[in-house]
Amino acid sequence: VHVVTRLRDRLGGTPFRTFLDVGAAHGGYSVAALLAFPGIRAYAFEPLPDVFEVLREVAGTRPAITPFPLAVGDSDEAGTIRRSKNSGSSSLLRLLPSHVEHFPGTQEDGEVEVRVRTLDSLAASGEVIVDRPSLMKVDVQGYEDRVLDGARETLGGIDAIVMELSHTPLYEGQVLLPELRRRIEERGFSFRGPFSEVRSATTGEVVQVDGLFVRE
């Protein structure tokens, strides 16, 4: 409900037709987009097999959601997810000790082989059709820059982005908020501030925000 309210409050004036849910987990954000923007079509991407099964069940009762058992990145290839004891912290990047310090109970707990695709290849093949206005949400645990690199063409048809951005390094090789903000703004978007924030479970400091970007 809170996500639906935030979407309506911050973006409710735009009649979005397409939603790209990159890092969809169980599909909660896609469902929220359907409620906030009647008539929208959602494409939801989730690579973890057990989590995807829940997403597929959710999509089975909502024809406007098309689920994909994929990770999204900067190339079409096989990839390895570092599974966290908390599935929401799992990533194609290795978790840093700082991640577990801020969020106890998120230690790595095995590896899962997954398929990785770029948004550009999905759009070029017709598997994803981006009708405008369009909204993209990216929550990929440190892999955000790779998603952007694999969407150089697709981004031209995106009108708003909600992306998880980190103030603090939590994953090996992660690009942090200032650099990601610069890259997105270079593509014609303006930063409209935090959409929501994530605080450390141990220190209470804000370590991540969901940044809102709107095409100028």
Side-chain angles (χ1 to χ4, degrees):
V1 175
H2 295 305
V3 175
V4 176
T5 300
R6 286 198 297 269
L7 286 170
R8 286 174 175 165
D9 288 348
R10 302 292 296 275
L11 295 166
T14 305
F16 290 108
R17 299 179 63 193
T18 307
F19 179 52
L20 303 181
D21 192 355
V22 182
H26 297 145
Y29 226 109
S30 286
V31 172
L34 265 59
L35 294 172
F37 309 110
I40 201 171
R41 180 182 181 87
Y43 297 93
F45 307 91
E46 173 52 49
L48 289 175
D50 57 323
V51 179
F52 177 78
E53 285 305 311
V54 178
L55 171 62
R56 184 163 62 177
E57 291 179 7
V58 169
T61 62
R62 297 169 176 85
I65 300 176
T66 301
F68 290 84
L70 302 170
V72 175
D74 57 356
S75 60
D76 289 2
E77 61 184 359
T80 302
I81 295 275
R82 276 75 180 185
R83 180 93 194 213
S84 166
K85 289 185 176 181
N86 178 337
S87 64
S89 292
S90 302
S91 177
L92 285 159
L93 304 177
R94 292 197 177 280
L95 280 73
L96 293 174
S98 58
H99 191 293
V100 181
E101 292 169 6
H102 285 295
F103 305 104
T106 58
Q107 295 89 340
E108 287 190 19
D109 189 30
E111 297 182 345
V112 181
E113 297 302 311
V114 300
R115 189 180 179 197
V116 184
R117 295 283 303 279
T118 69
L119 287 176
D120 282 349
S121 74
L122 288 161
S125 68
E127 295 166 86
V128 170
I129 299 173
V130 181
D131 292 323
R132 301 181 70 176
S134 60
L135 170 65
M136 179 169 72
K137 182 270 282 181
V138 182
D139 184 356
V140 289
Q141 307 306 307
Y143 218 64
E144 297 82 14
D145 62 312
R146 280 75 161 186
V147 173
L148 294 174
D149 287 344
R152 297 183 187 278
E153 299 298 325
T154 306
L155 278 175
I158 301 297
D159 297 287
I161 302 171
V162 176
M163 180 176 287
E164 186 174 75
L165 307 165
S166 290
H167 293 290
T168 301
L170 301 174
Y171 296 92
E172 189 176 279
Q174 178 179 20
V175 175
L176 299 181
L177 189 156
E179 174 64 12
L180 280 173
R181 174 177 173 175
R182 183 189 67 78
R183 294 188 191 186
I184 297 171
E185 289 177 337
E186 284 181 348
R187 298 305 302 269
F189 293 86
S190 61
F191 182 56
R192 298 293 176 84
F195 190 76
S196 60
E197 60 186 28
V198 177
R199 294 182 177 272
S200 167
T202 53
T203 68
E205 66 184 288
V206 176
V207 293
Q208 294 178 314
V209 298
D210 284 337
L212 174 61
F213 298 85
V214 176
R215 183 166 292 284
E216 296 176 338

